[in-house]
Amino acid sequence: REGPGGGTTGSAMDAPSAAGLGGADPQLQRFIEVETQKQRFQQLVHQMTELCWEKCMDKPGPKLDSRAETCFVNCVERFIDTSQFILNRLEQTQKSKSAFSESLSD
């Protein structure tokens, strides 16, 4: 994919997973996991900033008015709540798939 600057943007899905490295060095696997987590976090911050800026910022000025400040706080809190909900839901789905797979292999 091409990003805004004409360069390519990677996503967490583009990065090699530690599990896919097989017998690779554990330190290398851990490094890749940490870097992938950093990339995901940066993507989330970027998405949240873009979303909340568009939603809350009518006209840029030297200071935030109280309405814009309240809007930003609420927007960030809802974004975090939604992200956490989705993460928990994906974890539950993954656990139920694993449990189902294990019951089939018994």
Side-chain angles (χ1 to χ4, degrees), residues 23 46 59 67 89:
H46 177 74
K59 53 183 188 287
R67 188 207 62 80
R89 187 75 168 154

Side-chain angles (χ1 to χ4, degrees), residues 6-57:
T8 58
T9 59
S11 70
M13 299 303 287
D14 296 336
S17 69
L21 294 176
D25 179 16
Q27 285 182 322
L28 176 60
Q29 288 179 353
R30 182 66 187 139
F31 174 77
I32 290 172
E33 288 172 10
V34 169
E35 291 303 311
T36 300
Q37 287 174 352
K38 286 180 187 177
Q39 181 183 17
R40 287 180 185 147
F41 178 75
Q42 288 173 343
Q43 282 180 315
L44 281 174
V45 169
H46 177 74
Q47 288 172 340
M48 181 180 58
T49 302
E50 187 175 353
L51 175 79
C52 294
W53 183 267
E54 290 296 319
K55 183 174 192 69
C56 299
M57 204 61 193

Side-chain angles (χ1 to χ4, degrees), residues 38-105:
K38 286 180 187 177
Q39 181 183 17
R40 287 180 185 147
F41 178 75
Q42 288 173 343
Q43 282 180 315
L44 281 174
V45 169
H46 177 74
Q47 288 172 340
M48 181 180 58
T49 302
E50 187 175 353
L51 175 79
C52 294
W53 183 267
E54 290 296 319
K55 183 174 192 69
C56 299
M57 204 61 193
D58 293 333
K59 53 183 188 287
K63 298 181 7 174
L64 286 179
D65 61 16
S66 62
R67 188 207 62 80
E69 186 174 350
T70 301
C71 181
F72 275 114
V73 169
N74 289 334
C75 182
V76 170
E77 287 177 353
R78 295 302 71 78
F79 187 91
I80 291 169
D81 290 345
T82 303
S83 298
Q84 190 62 47
F85 174 80
I86 292 169
L87 182 62
N88 290 340
R89 187 75 168 154
L90 289 173
E91 269 182 16
Q92 289 173 354
T93 303
Q94 190 63 32
K95 284 179 185 176
S96 66
K97 282 183 182 178
S98 295
F100 180 73
S101 296
E102 287 175 11
S103 69
L104 288 178
S105 64

